[in-house]
Amino acid sequence: MTSQTITQGFNDQKRLSQLENDSIYILREAYRTLKKPAMLWSMGKDSTVMLWLTRKAFFGKIPFPVCHIDTSFKIPEMIEFRNQMAADWGFDLRISSNKEALSEGMNPGKGKLECCTALKTNALKGFLRETGYRSIFAAIRRDEEGSRGKERIFSPRGEGSVWNYKEQPPELWNAYQTEVEAEVEMRVHPILQWSELDVWLYIREEGIPVLDLYYAKKGKRYRSVGCAPCTSQVVSEATSLDEIIEEIRTTKVGERVGRAQDQADRYAMQKLRAGGYM
C-alpha cells in the first residue's frame, strides 16, 4: 500500500464521516420541525443509502412511511429488491401509481417527458393529495445533473408542487428554512451534498445492500436505474464494489447517460422538476 493510497483512504473516511453527520442532522431536524413527512424510495443506490442513514438517525427505525412511485415499467429486479428490503428492514412501505393514466395506456412511446409527468410527477402529487403528507424526503444529489445542482436541502414547493428554481431561500452557513405555512409542501434532500463516488464509498464502508444490476455482467452494467424502456446499461467491467469505485474515480462518462428522459430535451429535467417531479 502506497502513502498516496493511505492518504486517500484517510481523506475518504474523514469526508464520509462528515457527510453522514450532516445527513443525520438534516433528517432529525426535518422530522422535528416539519409536518407529516414521508420518504421516497426508488430502490436505487442513493435512496437506499438515504434509508440506511434514516435507520441510523432514528436508532434502527424509519419513523415515517416509505413511498415507491410505481410506474409499472420498472426493471423487474427492482421490484424484487423492494419487496425483500421492506421485509428485511420492516418499514412502512406505500406503493402509489397513477392508475388512471395507466388505464388510458400511458407509456414511454407517447413521449418520455409526457410519460414521466403522468406516471411519476402526477402519481406523486396524487399520493400527497390522498394521504395529506406535506414533507417529502428525496435522495437527489447536486452532481447528478444540472437542475439538481440548483436545489436547496430544504426546498419549499408552491401550489401544485411547483418548484420556483429562480427564487429559493438561501442556506448560508447551513441555516435552513424549516418554518413554513402548514399548507406549504417541503422537499428535503438529506444527501444533496454527496457525490456519486461518496455514495459508493459509503456503501462499501457500511456494507449496504444494493441492486445486483449495478455490477457488470458481460461487459455492461446499470449506473443509474429506472424504468426498463428508458434506462440502458453502460460499458463496464466493474463486477465488485472496489472496481465500481475505481471506475467512478476515473470515468469521463456521465452518470445519467443511460436515462432516456434526460436526452429528450436540453432542459428536460429542469422542466420536469419545476412541475413537481421528485
Side-chain angles (χ1 to χ4, degrees):
M1 185 177 292
T2 66
S3 60
Q4 184 179 8
T5 304
I6 293 172
T7 300
Q8 185 180 66
F10 175 77
N11 290 336
D12 288 343
Q13 288 276 357
K14 186 177 178 183
R15 176 169 171 76
L16 289 179
S17 178
Q18 185 62 55
L19 287 169
E20 182 188 77
N21 288 340
D22 291 346
S23 296
I24 287 175
Y25 169 75
I26 291 163
L27 285 158
R28 289 175 174 167
E29 185 69 4
Y31 183 64
R32 184 183 70 83
T33 58
L34 300 177
K35 298 184 184 305
K36 293 207 70 171
M39 179 168 282
L40 292 176
W41 183 38
S42 69
M43 292 81 74
K45 61 188 184 305
D46 302 320
S47 57
T48 302
V49 163
M50 182 170 66
L51 287 185
W52 183 271
L53 289 163
T54 305
R55 295 172 80 233
K56 276 198 162 187
F58 300 104
F59 309 104
K61 303 289 185 183
I62 298 178
F64 33 72
V66 174
C67 177
H68 171 220
I69 301 299
D70 193 352
T71 63
S72 80
F73 291 103
K74 293 297 180 186
I75 301 169
E77 289 90 333
M78 296 173 69
I79 302 302
E80 294 174 15
F81 182 76
R82 178 192 72 188
N83 297 339
Q84 187 61 54
M85 291 295 293
D88 290 348
W89 287 0
F91 51 77
D92 178 9
L93 176 65
R94 312 286 179 91
I95 301 168
S96 184
S97 59
N98 186 344
K99 294 187 174 84
E100 181 178 351
L102 287 169
S103 69
E104 293 171 352
M106 177 54 73
N107 66 77
K110 296 191 174 185
K112 302 293 188 296
L113 299 189
E114 290 80 0
C115 187
C116 279
T117 298
L119 301 185
K120 294 182 178 177
T121 304
N122 292 346
L124 174 58
K125 291 179 182 179
F127 171 76
L128 296 172
R129 185 172 55 251
E130 292 162 8
T131 61
Y133 289 102
R134 305 302 301 160
S135 308
I136 291 291
F137 294 100
I140 66 166
R141 304 186 337 263
R142 284 202 171 107
D143 74 329
E144 278 185 273
E145 54 84 30
S147 68
R148 288 174 168 89
K150 301 175 183 177
E151 266 289 6
R152 298 292 189 265
I153 290 174
F154 286 77
S155 180
R157 294 299 201 260
E159 185 175 353
S161 302
V162 169
W163 176 44
N164 184 355
Y165 55 84
K166 294 182 179 179
E167 187 171 347
Q168 301 186 78
E171 292 186 329
L172 303 175
W173 304 289
N174 293 334
Y176 305 123
Q177 179 182 320
T178 60
E179 302 292 335
V180 294
E181 300 294 329
E183 68 275 12
V184 173
E185 177 190 332
M186 184 71 86
R187 302 284 176 92
V188 185
H189 306 125
I191 67 165
L192 191 63
Q193 309 280 40
W194 295 49
S195 69
E196 183 186 14
L197 178 60
D198 294 329
V199 167
W200 281 114
L201 287 168
Y202 191 68
I203 287 169
R204 182 176 67 178
E205 177 72 17
E206 297 283 309
I208 301 171
V210 293
L211 285 158
D212 194 49
L213 296 168
Y214 287 117
Y215 298 102
K217 295 178 182 62
K218 299 181 179 178
K220 289 185 177 180
R221 74 179 186 90
Y222 286 95
R223 198 160 150 203
S224 177
V225 295
C227 293
C230 298
T231 308
S232 58
Q233 295 174 299
V234 298
V235 174
S236 173
E237 298 296 336
T239 59
S240 68
L241 284 173
D242 287 344
E243 290 175 350
I244 289 174
I245 288 166
E246 185 57 30
E247 180 183 278
I248 300 302
R249 285 193 197 276
T250 57
T251 186
K252 302 296 184 187
V253 177
E255 179 181 357
R256 291 179 62 89
V257 70
R259 302 298 294 272
Q261 68 266 46
D262 291 37
Q263 324 305 326
D265 182 303
R266 183 175 181 182
Y267 298 103
M269 291 308 298
Q270 182 160 295
K271 292 176 182 175
L272 284 170
R273 295 186 58 74
Y277 186 87
M278 61 280 290

